Amino acid sequence: MPLIRSESQIGNLLDHYCDSKSDSEQVRKWYAAMRDLIPKLDAELPNTNVWGLTSHDSLCLMSVPEYNAGVNHVIIEHYYDGCFRMSYHPPEGELPVPKSHVTFMAIGVPEALTRIKVAMAASKGWPDSPDL
């Protein structure tokens, strides 16, 4: 199944990351990075149900179509040129601090794709995915 936008939002994910002339140079770079990442992430997960929820400029990956029906298992943000900041929520009890999350960085889209898949597996949000 393709990476699709949450049913709670209108349009597709790439539409959200279309920039306009009024956007700052930094925002245009962030949106371009996301337009590069999203189709490649979609291609990496052909057999996995993944819904993307956009929140401000973050892309939250979920295993359910509605934002209020589940957890944002993996959150992707652009940190600076070519670098992504990501986090995931592990199952309760896996970290010493309750309700905490793991944050990490990736430089470039190839590294981001690898780390996103690791985070998706570690979050256990997609336990039956053959792609992870």
Side-chain angles (χ1 to χ4, degrees), residues 113-127:
L113 291 170
T114 299
R115 292 184 178 213
I116 290 167
K117 288 173 66 175
V118 168
M120 288 174 69
S123 76
K124 296 188 172 66
W126 296 268

Side-chain angles (χ1 to χ4, degrees), residues 11 63 111:
S63 58
E111 185 177 345

Side-chain angles (χ1 to χ4, degrees), residues 10-67:
I10 298 170
N12 68 46
L13 289 172
L14 291 177
D15 288 344
H16 178 77
Y17 294 106
C18 287
D19 50 44
S20 70
K21 292 179 183 181
S22 63
D23 290 332
S24 70
E25 181 65 24
Q26 185 64 25
V27 169
R28 284 195 295 276
K29 286 180 182 179
W30 159 237
Y31 286 1
M34 291 304 290
R35 288 191 307 267
D36 187 25
L37 177 72
I38 289 169
K40 292 174 181 166
L41 181 59
D42 180 41
E44 292 274 326
L45 304 167
N47 303 300
T48 304
N49 294 331
V50 182
W51 287 268
L53 177 73
T54 55
S55 177
H56 302 283
D57 290 328
S58 299
L59 174 59
C60 308
L61 303 182
M62 302 174 59
S63 58
V64 295
E66 303 88 12
Y67 82 95

